[in-house]
Amino acid sequence: MPASGPPDQGEGKRRPLTALEDGYHIVTTLGSAATVLCATAFPIWLSRVRDNARALSGQSPRYARPWLYAGWIVPVANLWVPRGIVADIHRASAPGERLPHAVNWWWGLWLAGMPSGTGLMYAVPTDHVIERAYRQVYPLLAADAAVVAAVVAGVFVVRALTAAQRRRGVDSVRARPTAEATGRA
């Protein structure tokens, strides 16, 4: 920490940020933008593969449609509902197949990164996070590493569910058969 102390010096006093701290603000802003993009795209994709799974199996999903979105933000339910939705989609899309390991890795890493991490989930000013980084950098790094690893595992989840549905001959919402499944090229 600079000799002048933390950015927020209390009683409404702030010191000028260092170049490193300014850089952290930029990285945080970019990370927040990426989070908003993913938080928008993933539920849309999840809704589509859920519709495909329903068309493939002919069964109603275990979780009602509002849980696709509410499952991420309702306290306590957000500890299992999103993973349950993904597992339900896989069971309906690939009956008899084991749940891909990536699902459990994705969810475990996501949960590991959330309680101690920072980002859109916490209404803490960036200056407070900077102070925490000066005093407790390793927990922040561990949380960030877990979230980044969860994102990578999430890519494998998307690929696994999409591949399972394609093997059954589905390429988009409402279970339209693929050209391979219909014999047309």
Side-chain angles (χ1 to χ4, degrees), residues 9 11 13 15-16 18 27 68 72 92 98 115 120 125 128 146-147 150 157 181 183:
Q9 305 212 335
E11 299 175 11
K13 297 179 188 169
R15 68 164 172 76
T18 66
V27 168
L68 283 172
W72 293 94
R98 287 179 50 122
L120 294 179
H128 291 199
V147 170
V157 169

Side-chain angles (χ1 to χ4, degrees), residues 10-114:
E11 299 175 11
K13 297 179 188 169
R14 284 182 43 86
R15 68 164 172 76
L17 297 178
T18 66
L20 179 64
E21 293 165 344
D22 277 334
Y24 185 80
H25 278 281
I26 293 168
V27 168
T28 301
T29 301
L30 292 174
S32 296
T35 301
V36 167
L37 179 65
C38 291
T40 303
F42 189 76
I44 291 170
W45 170 83
L46 199 59
S47 175
R48 290 180 178 175
V49 295
R50 182 177 176 267
D51 290 344
N52 288 346
R54 183 177 187 175
L56 286 169
S57 69
Q59 299 171 353
S60 294
R62 187 168 43 155
Y63 295 97
R65 183 165 296 279
W67 284 108
L68 283 172
Y69 309 100
W72 293 94
I73 57 174
V74 173
V76 182
N78 64 357
L79 297 175
W80 75 84
V81 170
R83 184 205 171 273
I85 290 170
V86 169
D88 193 36
I89 290 167
H90 184 268
R91 271 191 296 278
S93 300
E97 287 185 27
R98 287 179 50 122
L99 186 67
H101 293 296
V103 172
N104 292 325
W105 278 103
W106 160 69
W107 195 244
L109 288 164
W110 182 258
L111 290 178
M114 287 300 105

